Amino acid sequence: DAVEGTSADSKAQRFTTPDGKRVPYASFVQYWGTLQHLQFTLLGFPVPVVAAISGDAPAGGCLLSMLCDYRVMAARSAKAPSSKLQSLEGSGKVTPPAKPPRLFKIGMTSVRAGFAVPPWIAATLKYTVGAKNAEEILTQSIMATADEAKNKYGLIDQISETDETVLMDALSAMEYLLAN
């Protein structure tokens, strides 16, 4: 896959994303300023902040979770995937088993999308998962399942079975953190 880059046109005051969208440079600067303000707010919050990750968390979702003190991620959706093939009763035809549920993933996809990762985001990832794991996640645009995120990379702290249980598990973690 070819990696496309981003560009900034100083004369037109526009920023072009890898997918070709042109964003006014002032809007882009405001976005980054707001994101950095959110980082400082979450990191300086006086009580523990727990992330309940109830689906895929690429790039910005991954970053927001790293700004929290504890991360609980759902492994999958509680809804069983629907099979497009229907059973034909009495026909003697065997219906194939339903597909296993798709596992949710988390990671940093910035490089794959053509964005250079700002140093403060790389530092946040390094602080969360260590230098070696951060390098792998960033350079390979890793999107890890909940199991990989917890056991291989240290990107999350706890796995919840489904998106329907993750909030209660996160609340339990919060109660524990506040009590200790």
Side-chain angles (χ1 to χ4, degrees):
D1 292 322
V3 176
E4 295 181 22
T6 58
S7 66
D9 181 349
S10 60
K11 290 181 183 175
Q13 295 294 305
R14 296 241 178 236
F15 177 83
T16 305
T17 64
D19 61 0
K21 293 180 184 172
R22 296 191 61 171
V23 179
Y25 191 72
S27 296
F28 180 74
V29 170
Q30 181 181 11
Y31 165 77
W32 279 111
T34 302
L35 186 59
Q36 288 178 323
H37 179 72
L38 176 62
Q39 177 191 22
F40 296 132
T41 301
L42 288 174
L43 292 177
F45 212 69
V47 296
V49 178
V50 176
I53 307 163
S54 60
D56 290 326
C62 181
L63 173 64
L64 289 177
S65 74
M66 289 188 299
L67 299 176
C68 298
D69 300 296
Y70 194 86
R71 292 161 292 285
V72 182
M73 181 176 174
R76 61 178 176 78
S77 172
K79 296 177 183 171
S82 60
S83 175
K84 293 186 179 185
L85 301 175
Q86 296 181 353
S87 172
L88 301 174
E89 290 184 33
S91 69
K93 300 213 179 212
V94 178
T95 303
K99 292 180 185 176
R102 185 182 68 78
L103 301 177
F104 293 137
K105 294 184 175 186
I106 184 171
M108 297 300 288
T109 57
S110 305
V111 171
R112 182 183 316 149
F115 287 98
V117 177
W120 64 273
I121 293 176
T124 301
L125 182 61
K126 182 179 174 183
Y127 177 80
T128 304
V129 301
K132 183 176 186 279
N133 285 340
E135 179 182 10
E136 184 177 344
I137 291 168
L138 289 174
T139 60
Q140 297 179 31
S141 293
I142 297 290
M143 285 294 291
T145 64
D147 183 60
E148 294 166 336
K150 180 177 187 298
N151 298 312
K152 182 176 181 182
Y153 297 106
L155 196 50
I156 64 170
D157 300 293
Q158 182 179 333
I159 300 172
S160 184
E161 188 64 30
T162 71
D163 55 351
E164 290 183 353
T165 59
V166 71
L167 187 56
M168 290 307 296
D169 289 343
L171 289 172
S172 294
M174 175 61 82
E175 288 174 352
Y176 175 81
L177 291 171
L178 290 172
N180 292 304

